[in-house]
């Protein structure tokens, strides 16, 4: 059936036909509880009525204009997105279609900021081991995992990877003569849900500020409320104040399932792009903007973030309460949860599929859970019951 598709994904054997809330239905009508949200994309669950209505309405009004023109909905979305990221220090946004594309934009902004202020040669971007920044040649170059660094070279120059948590190494690497940016995922996603420590992020923010190196936060997986605050970086406090980034990237859940992405910048770097510097045919698409407005309005409701935190704690506490020898560690923030297990993760995903529970892996022995924000307590309990049986 899928012979026409290139062989790029190791897939689980299920073919889905439709979704409803936290549930997916395969072509035989079997239902599955979705603890993955399409890897943090379907953050409001499947077939969310307001989202579907907004997409339908926009599809009937205007799908696309090109960036020679504005549409009425795109500036509104941009404004709300910037407001939502204000606590993280953001002032302006460039709209893109995907995470990797947003991250390419982030690299361009950091390099141009440094070039304008300090001249050529100060272009290195420091990233962390275990990071994941995307699949384009440049974002692969930024990604600090060896397994991605084969077969596709030569890679883009000017990326250095250091271990997270190592403040000494960070201090030594952030050379103000050669480094333009430090790029972190406040909570690493792909490599198994690894939150950076508060000490490290605070030290990073301070060193970056002192040396005028841009602090870049890849919040493609951790943003949009996933961790219980709009941006995960808001949860880190330096000198009693929330850490502010200079550049933030978002994608995945930003339009609730429509392809979309964003690179935002704060005071320092939001003005470095001039007309002609950057662009994207589909970036700032009215359909993605209309969908994105629903996501922003939904997560903006009072108590919504507190509920994400509460549901995440409920899942983590539930797993810890098993006192189970098959579970080595449970960690996470909000509804972004990693579970180190004794077994290999992949066969557990396969068994989960059989039992009607969808999960992700994050490394060989780690399960990764990214349930929709709208999941109910009853669904959480059902999912935990299935997981307990599997482990
Ligand atoms: C998914 C992801 C990306 C890449 O996003 P794409 O939309 O797949 O290009 C980049 N960074 C992080 C942290 C991600 O989770």
């Amino acid at each position: 059936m899928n012979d026409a598709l290139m062989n790029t994904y190791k897939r689980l054997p299920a073919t889905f036909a439709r979704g409803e809330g936290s549930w997916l239905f395969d072509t035989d009508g079997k239902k599955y509880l979705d603890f993955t949200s399409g890897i943090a994309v379907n953050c409001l669950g499947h077939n969310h009525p307001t989202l579907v209505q907004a997409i339908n309405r926009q599809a009937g009004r205007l799908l696309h204009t090109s960036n020679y023109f504005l549409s009425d909905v795109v500036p509104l979305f941009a404004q709300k997105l910037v407001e939502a990221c204000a606590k993280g220090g953001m002032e302006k946004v460039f709209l893109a279609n995907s995470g990797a594309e947003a991250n390419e934009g982030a690299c361009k902004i950091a390099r141009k900021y440094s070039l304008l202020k300090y001249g050529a040669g100060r272009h290195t971007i420091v990233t962390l081991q275990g990071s994941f920044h995307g699949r384009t040649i440049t974002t692969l170059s930024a990604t600090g995992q060896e397994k991605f660094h084969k077969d596709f070279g030569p890679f883009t120059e000017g990326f250095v990877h250091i271990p997270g948590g190592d403040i000494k190494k960070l201090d030594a690497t952030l050379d103000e003569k050669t480094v333009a940016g430090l790029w972190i995922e406040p909570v690493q996603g792909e490599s198994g849900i690894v939150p950076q420590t508060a000490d490290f992020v605070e030290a990073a923010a301070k060193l970056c500020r002192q040396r005028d190196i841009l602090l870049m936060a890849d919040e493609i997986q951790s943003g949009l409320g996933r961790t219980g605050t709009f941006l995960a970086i808001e949860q880190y406090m330096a000198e009693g104040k929330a850490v502010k980034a200079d550049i933030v990237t978002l994608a995945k859940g930003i339009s609730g399932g429509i392809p979309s992405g964003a690179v935002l910048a704060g005071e320092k770097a939001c003005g470095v792009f001039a007309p002609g510097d950057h662009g994207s045919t589909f970036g700032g698409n009215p359909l993605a903007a209309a969908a994105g407005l629903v996501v922003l309005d939904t997560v903006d409701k009072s108590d919504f973030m507190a509920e994400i935190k509460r549901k995440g704690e409920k899942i983590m506490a539930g797993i810890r309460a098993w006192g189970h020898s098959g579970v080595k560690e449970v960690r996470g923030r909000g509804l972004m949860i990693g579970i180190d297990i004794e077994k290999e993760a992949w066969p557990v995903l396969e068994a989960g599929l059989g039992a009607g529970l969808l999960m992700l892996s994050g490394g060989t022995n780690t399960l990764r859970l990214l349930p929709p924000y709208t999941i109910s307590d009853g669904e959480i309990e059902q999912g935990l019951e299935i997981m307990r049986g599997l482990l």
Side-chain angles (χ1 to χ4, degrees):
M1 258 287 269
N2 62 21
D3 282 352
L5 290 168
M6 286 194 191
N7 187 23
T8 50
Y9 301 104
K10 184 177 174 190
R11 293 185 208 270
L12 287 156
T15 303
F16 295 117
R18 68 184 183 90
E20 190 64 50
S22 308
W23 299 87
L24 278 169
F25 297 81
D26 71 14
T27 46
D28 297 325
K30 178 178 168 182
K31 70 185 231 180
Y32 303 80
L33 184 53
D34 185 4
F35 271 19
T36 74
S37 311
I39 319 190
V41 170
N42 307 99
C43 57
L44 305 185
H46 303 282
N47 198 21
H48 186 281
T50 324
L51 183 63
V52 172
Q53 200 180 53
I55 291 169
N56 283 337
R57 196 186 320 120
Q58 189 60 38
R61 289 179 73 228
L62 182 65
L63 275 180
H64 182 79
T65 59
S66 94
N67 284 305
Y68 275 81
F69 311 101
L70 277 177
S71 66
D72 53 1
V73 64
V74 171
L76 208 65
F77 174 52
Q79 181 63 34
K80 290 220 166 164
L81 191 57
V82 167
E83 281 166 15
C85 295
K87 269 194 200 150
M90 297 301 102
E91 297 196 356
K92 283 182 191 288
V93 62
F94 173 88
L95 294 169
N97 309 292
S98 69
E101 194 200 12
N103 279 347
E104 291 274 341
C107 293
K108 285 175 74 173
I109 294 174
R111 286 190 167 173
K112 189 171 177 195
Y113 172 80
S114 197
L115 182 83
L116 289 175
K117 237 172 138 177
Y118 302 99
R122 190 182 184 274
H123 59 244
T124 298
I125 295 176
V126 178
T127 76
L128 301 187
Q129 287 168 8
S131 59
F132 181 79
H133 297 296
R135 298 286 192 162
T136 62
I137 295 284
T138 292
T139 56
L140 279 181
S141 313
T143 293
Q145 298 187 62
E146 268 318 302
K147 68 177 181 204
F148 292 108
H149 294 167
K150 53 183 179 71
D151 299 348
F152 303 107
F155 288 95
T156 307
E157 305 179 31
F159 289 94
V160 170
H161 315 295
I162 61 167
D166 188 340
I167 296 173
K168 259 199 184 143
K169 181 85 184 165
L170 178 73
D171 187 7
T173 310
L174 291 181
D175 174 357
E176 54 202 319
K177 293 200 179 59
T178 57
V179 176
L182 169 68
W183 206 358
I184 62 169
E185 290 166 81
V187 182
Q188 287 181 346
E190 196 271 347
S191 59
I193 315 297
V194 183
Q196 297 305 319
T197 63
D199 286 352
F200 184 74
V201 175
E202 289 168 24
K206 191 167 170 197
L207 289 169
C208 283
R209 198 172 55 248
Q210 285 168 350
R211 297 174 192 179
D212 197 16
I213 289 168
L214 297 184
L215 179 61
M216 306 159 71
D218 182 340
E219 297 241 20
I220 287 167
Q221 198 162 146
S222 61
L224 277 308
R226 176 58 55 189
T227 66
T229 47
F230 193 82
L231 298 175
I233 199 148
E234 292 170 38
Q235 292 175 38
Y236 294 91
M237 305 289 286
E239 292 139 20
K241 281 186 286 182
V243 167
K244 287 190 190 325
D246 296 302
I247 296 177
V248 167
T249 50
L250 297 172
K252 292 206 161 81
I254 186 169
S255 292
I258 299 284
S260 185
V263 50
L264 297 106
E267 192 189 357
K268 276 189 181 178
C270 69
V272 308
F273 276 160
D277 275 351
H278 198 46
S280 168
T281 295
F282 287 117
N285 176 275
L287 189 70
L293 275 169
V294 175
V295 173
L296 293 178
D297 284 344
T298 307
V299 304
D300 194 32
K301 298 221 161 68
S302 69
D303 292 345
F304 200 87
M305 295 293 164
E307 274 293 281
I308 290 175
K309 269 195 192 134
R310 185 189 64 79
K311 290 174 188 178
E313 312 255 297
K314 180 178 168 75
I315 294 174
M316 289 190 277
I319 296 169
R320 287 187 188 116
W322 299 342
H324 204 302
S325 60
V327 176
K328 291 204 286 196
E329 194 192 36
V330 186
R331 59 179 174 269
R333 299 275 188 280
L335 287 169
M336 190 172 181
I337 297 165
I339 309 157
D340 291 342
I341 56 174
E342 291 287 346
K343 296 186 189 176
E344 284 202 2
W346 190 264
V348 176
L349 302 190
E350 287 174 327
L353 196 71
L357 177 68
L358 308 178
M359 296 170 290
L360 300 162
S361 59
T364 316
N365 299 101
T366 304
L367 297 175
R368 177 168 49 141
L369 308 182
L370 300 163
Y373 303 163
T374 47
I375 195 163
S376 70
D377 282 14
E379 288 164 344
I380 288 175
E381 284 152 23
Q382 253 178 293
L384 288 177
E385 203 45 49
I386 299 175
M387 264 177 76
R388 183 177 190 169
L390 298 172
L391 295 174

